[in-house]
Amino acid sequence: MLLSCCERLTDFFISQCGLPETRRPWYIYTLQTRISMFLSTAGMMLLGCLVATPYQVICFLVGILSLRRRLGGYHAKTPLRCLFLSIGVSILCLSLVNSLVRYGLSILIWILFISLSFAVFNSSPYSHPNCPLTPDELAASWIKAKHILIWNLLLILLLQIFFAHSNCALYCEMGIIAAAISFFVSKFKEVKSSLSEKMAGKLDDLTRCDMREWPLTSIPIYYQPQHPQRETDNTDK
């Protein structure tokens, strides 16, 4: 739905305002990203204020949005799913901070924040399929992500020094934690895909060995499944 709306808006501006037709894909991309970003951020801000103060929500958004901009991470497949997921994650994270502070367990946020920050620094970059980058571009973006993380660390120290009573530092930390978890979820999917390809190749190699062996030998101890009919074609292809 968002794509079709952006296409209609783009066609209107091109026909009525004289925008160049050659930039049509870029106009559509720009509209999609800006509208999606506005709706998600506004929803996170407005509904987040139901469980935290506006200042705490802003600190959370600074942590998660600034880092995700360069770090990347998990992205939903549809704009509507992205909207609900973003709002749901923000409310969950804000509520979690409130609960941990209430029960005197805020130290857990610090431990998780330090651990994930260290893990991000020692990890490798990830390129989303919808936003492919060259190795040089990916390396440059990764360096900027680390710089943003360092600046966020300094911001958290300032918040802890001057606004410790409001726990704003904890909310900023939770935003960074959410961004880091999203990044590692995407990394896991990348590793999972690579591992699946390697396992598929190994299965094909083992199957070719079984296909070349004839007559088939009986498995000595374990279960003997029904073997397929003998292949008459060349199994070495």
Side-chain angles (χ1 to χ4, degrees):
M1 184 174 67
L2 178 61
L3 176 60
S4 62
C5 291
C6 293
E7 288 176 341
R8 292 179 182 178
L9 280 173
T10 299
D11 292 336
F12 170 79
F13 289 130
I14 289 175
S15 61
Q16 299 296 324
C17 303
L19 294 179
E21 176 74 25
T22 55
R23 296 181 183 175
R24 184 176 184 275
W26 281 102
Y27 294 141
I28 295 173
Y29 171 80
T30 300
L31 286 172
Q32 285 188 96
T33 54
R34 298 306 189 276
I35 293 175
S36 177
M37 182 170 57
F38 171 78
L39 292 177
S40 296
T41 305
M44 293 165 69
M45 183 67 194
L46 294 176
L47 296 180
C49 289
L50 298 176
V51 295
T53 66
Y55 295 110
Q56 292 169 340
V57 177
I58 290 174
C59 289
F60 171 78
L61 293 178
V62 168
I64 188 172
L65 297 180
S66 62
L67 192 56
R68 268 184 63 90
R69 181 178 178 84
R70 292 294 180 182
L71 191 63
Y74 176 79
H75 288 278
K77 294 183 179 180
T78 64
L80 187 60
R81 189 182 301 177
C82 176
L83 176 62
F84 285 116
L85 185 61
S86 299
I87 295 174
V89 167
S90 64
I91 293 178
L92 176 63
C93 291
L94 295 171
S95 301
L96 183 59
V97 175
N98 289 340
S99 299
L100 292 175
V101 170
R102 186 182 304 114
Y103 292 105
L105 298 174
S106 57
I107 186 64
L108 296 178
I109 300 177
W110 283 96
I111 293 174
L112 190 58
F113 164 70
I114 295 173
S115 301
L116 287 175
S117 297
F118 181 79
V120 168
F121 264 98
N122 289 276
S123 183
S124 57
Y126 166 76
S127 179
H128 192 274
N130 287 355
C131 188
L133 299 174
T134 65
D136 291 339
E137 293 170 340
L138 193 60
S141 181
W142 186 247
I143 292 174
K144 291 181 180 179
K146 290 184 176 181
H147 290 169
I148 291 174
L149 183 56
I150 293 173
W151 281 110
N152 281 336
L153 293 174
L154 296 176
L155 174 62
I156 288 171
L157 290 177
L158 293 175
L159 291 173
Q160 186 63 25
I161 293 173
F162 296 104
F163 302 98
H165 62 282
S166 63
N167 293 318
C168 285
L170 295 177
Y171 288 89
C172 188
E173 289 175 15
M174 183 56 71
I176 295 174
I177 290 171
I181 291 176
S182 174
F183 167 74
F184 284 113
V185 167
S186 295
K187 286 286 291 182
F188 173 76
K189 293 176 64 177
E190 182 183 40
V191 172
K192 179 182 177 182
S193 177
S194 176
L195 182 61
S196 298
E197 293 177 359
K198 292 180 180 179
M199 292 178 65
K202 186 62 176 179
L203 174 61
D204 187 62
D205 292 339
L206 293 173
T207 302
R208 288 177 181 273
C209 290
D210 288 343
M211 292 171 67
R212 283 193 292 265
E213 182 180 357
W214 197 269
L216 293 173
T217 57
S218 176
I219 299 178
I221 299 177
Y222 307 110
Y223 170 69
Q224 172 66 61
Q226 175 66 43
H227 64 77
Q229 295 297 321
R230 182 180 182 182
E231 292 281 346
T232 59
D233 59 342
N234 185 4
T235 58
D236 293 328
K237 289 181 180 179

